[in-house]
Amino acid sequence: METEYDQVLHSVAQVKIADQINDSGDVNRDEDGVKVSCFTEVFDDVTLQFQIIRLTKQIYVWIGYNSAKFGNLYAAASTRPSNTVSVTSVLGGTSDNTGSGIARRLVMKAGLNIILACNIPKNNPLLEAKAEKMLIRKLIDLGYTMPTPLRAT
């Protein structure tokens, strides 16, 4: 004979199972949740620190160069109707700084809005390219990129 406690436990288990299944019958992979990834890479005696926060329709990325300094903040998004990418400096910096180029290319690769904080020095294009390559590789590993990237026109 099933007790009232057992019935409640069974009912809670059913609710949890129902919450994990969406309307099409597929298991929900928590696509609306916030996902945070952090990693560090060392390149030519330079420590690059990365933080990726995946939100519903955008990605926030921080790239730190030898410190936890925030750096300049950029926002980039695909614009309609021509699918070009617009980038703006939100905090510090100008549109010709290192972070704006990285943010533009990340939008084309991920197909999502990008918020990028970056303190990589402007006079080191090799470091910029290496940081972007490591970041894109991590985004691909996490499944945050589109199968076919946007093409700027």
Side-chain angles (χ1 to χ4, degrees):
M1 181 170 185
E2 195 172 34
T3 66
E4 185 176 343
Y5 178 74
D6 291 331
Q7 291 173 346
V8 170
L9 284 180
H10 180 69
S11 176
V12 168
Q14 292 299 321
V15 169
K16 286 182 181 179
I17 291 170
D19 283 345
Q20 293 176 355
I21 299 176
N22 60 25
D23 293 336
S24 65
D26 296 331
V27 176
N28 186 356
R29 300 288 180 213
D30 193 28
E31 298 199 13
D32 293 333
V34 175
K35 297 174 185 150
V36 179
S37 302
C38 300
F39 65 102
T40 301
E41 296 281 341
V42 177
F43 172 71
D44 287 344
D45 297 329
V46 173
T47 302
L48 291 173
Q49 299 155 338
F50 299 86
Q51 181 180 46
I52 302 167
I53 301 175
R54 173 68 157 91
L55 304 167
T56 304
K57 293 185 179 181
Q58 69 182 8
I59 299 173
Y60 166 82
V61 177
W62 171 73
I63 304 173
Y65 168 77
N66 279 342
S67 72
K69 182 180 170 189
F70 187 73
N72 301 326
L73 183 66
Y74 300 93
S78 178
T79 56
R80 292 189 178 136
S82 61
N83 279 340
T84 58
V85 176
S86 297
V87 180
T88 189
S89 175
V90 177
L91 183 65
T94 59
S95 62
D96 66 340
N97 281 25
T98 300
S100 66
I102 294 173
R104 180 181 314 279
R105 290 183 291 273
L106 286 177
V107 168
M108 289 189 291
K109 188 71 175 173
L112 297 168
N113 298 336
I114 299 291
I115 305 296
L116 173 73
C118 178
N119 72 351
I120 296 175
K122 185 177 177 179
N123 62 353
N124 198 337
L126 183 61
L127 183 62
E128 174 186 357
K130 186 66 174 175
E132 184 175 349
K133 184 178 179 181
M134 287 186 248
L135 181 58
I136 288 176
R137 185 176 62 228
K138 185 68 169 184
L139 290 173
I140 290 170
D141 290 346
L142 293 170
Y144 296 167
T145 57
M146 294 182 354
T148 56
L150 293 174
R151 299 285 179 224
T153 55

